[in-house]
Amino acid sequence: EPVNSMDTKLWEDLGTALAALEADSAVHGAIFQSGLKRDVYTAGNDIKELYMPTMFLVNLYKSPLFTIASIRGACPAGGCILAMCCDYRIQTDDPGAVIGLNEVALGIGVPRYWVDIMASLVGGRRTETLLMTAAMPSSREAQQIGLIDQVVSKDDLLPASQKVMAQCLKFPRAGQILTKLAIRGDLAKKWGAYCPEEAETVYNFLSAPAVVSSLEGVLKRLAGGKKKQSKL
């Protein structure tokens, strides 16, 4: 079964879906959940497309909808930032359920505002330790540090997500939207303004011959010497 490889097409589809939901006055919330049978929320990003999803992520981060990341299994890199941009994160308690930004393991810097988003959740010093060591804490460990809000069994994942959504949508939406804007508005504005520079700078970095060669070496080691598509 294919995994949710977060390439440009998927990010574009997510952006289109989010815009459609926001345009529907009858919709006030969205749950992001994988439809895979495997316990994998996402497989992460293609390296050359690492910064392609930025505007979708900015829009998700500041969305007037109440958003929940309903995470079954592993959630590295692109899946992790998607989850962090949501308002609430629920993850399963199975052994393979880990989450984190592991770009450093492949010789890639974590995007600037991804760092800021994680720091807003778990604190600056803990973020530095997690990112510099490419740590992927378990769902239980992630809950203890504030990266995950709730840990449940696989069978309870969707019901738990729906319960949280129902509880939050009991309140008048205007108050939640204004509060979210107060908390996230400044960072979202800076992040959105930085997108063009971020994409150009990092694409040039990833395209440099020395970097490409280095990444190929890392990927070969991770794959045991076999060629493998560059996924984070």
Side-chain angles (χ1 to χ4, degrees), residues 14-15 18 23 69 84 93 104 108 138 161 186 229-230:
L14 286 169
L18 180 64
M84 292 194 299
D93 60 357
V104 167
I108 299 172
S138 69
S161 301
D186 289 345
Q229 189 178 3
S230 54

Side-chain angles (χ1 to χ4, degrees), residues 55 57-63 113 117 180-181 183-195:
M55 281 313 302
L57 292 172
V58 174
N59 291 335
L60 175 61
Y61 185 66
K62 65 180 182 179
S63 176
Y113 284 97
I117 299 298
K180 185 173 184 176
L181 183 62
I183 296 170
R184 299 186 172 193
D186 289 345
L187 180 54
K189 185 176 181 179
K190 293 176 183 177
W191 191 6
Y194 182 65
C195 284

Side-chain angles (χ1 to χ4, degrees), residues 139-199:
S139 55
R140 292 289 182 189
E141 293 168 336
Q143 184 183 32
Q144 291 175 0
I145 63 176
L147 187 55
I148 289 294
D149 297 298
Q150 189 175 346
V151 178
V152 299
S153 68
K154 282 188 275 190
D155 290 340
D156 289 337
L157 182 58
L158 184 56
S161 301
Q162 293 171 330
K163 182 178 179 180
V164 171
M165 182 66 73
Q167 290 173 336
C168 290
L169 295 187
K170 288 180 181 178
F171 305 117
R173 289 296 299 141
Q176 288 182 330
I177 292 170
L178 288 172
T179 301
K180 185 173 184 176
L181 183 62
I183 296 170
R184 299 186 172 193
D186 289 345
L187 180 54
K189 185 176 181 179
K190 293 176 183 177
W191 191 6
Y194 182 65
C195 284
E197 178 184 348
E198 181 177 59

Side-chain angles (χ1 to χ4, degrees), residues 46-125:
D46 184 285
I47 289 176
K48 283 299 184 68
E49 298 179 347
L50 180 61
Y51 283 71
M52 297 300 290
T54 308
M55 281 313 302
F56 162 71
L57 292 172
V58 174
N59 291 335
L60 175 61
Y61 185 66
K62 65 180 182 179
S63 176
L65 303 178
F66 186 82
T67 54
I68 297 175
S70 187
I71 307 164
R72 176 165 52 84
C75 186
C80 179
I81 184 59
L82 188 155
M84 292 194 299
C85 286
C86 289
D87 298 308
Y88 199 87
R89 288 157 292 282
I90 305 176
Q91 191 171 19
T92 54
D93 60 357
D94 52 283
V98 295
I99 184 170
L101 299 177
N102 61 333
E103 284 79 2
V104 167
L106 293 182
I108 299 172
V110 179
R112 173 178 175 180
Y113 284 97
W114 298 22
V115 176
D116 289 349
I117 299 298
M118 180 174 278
S120 73
L121 297 174
V122 306
R125 176 55 185 153

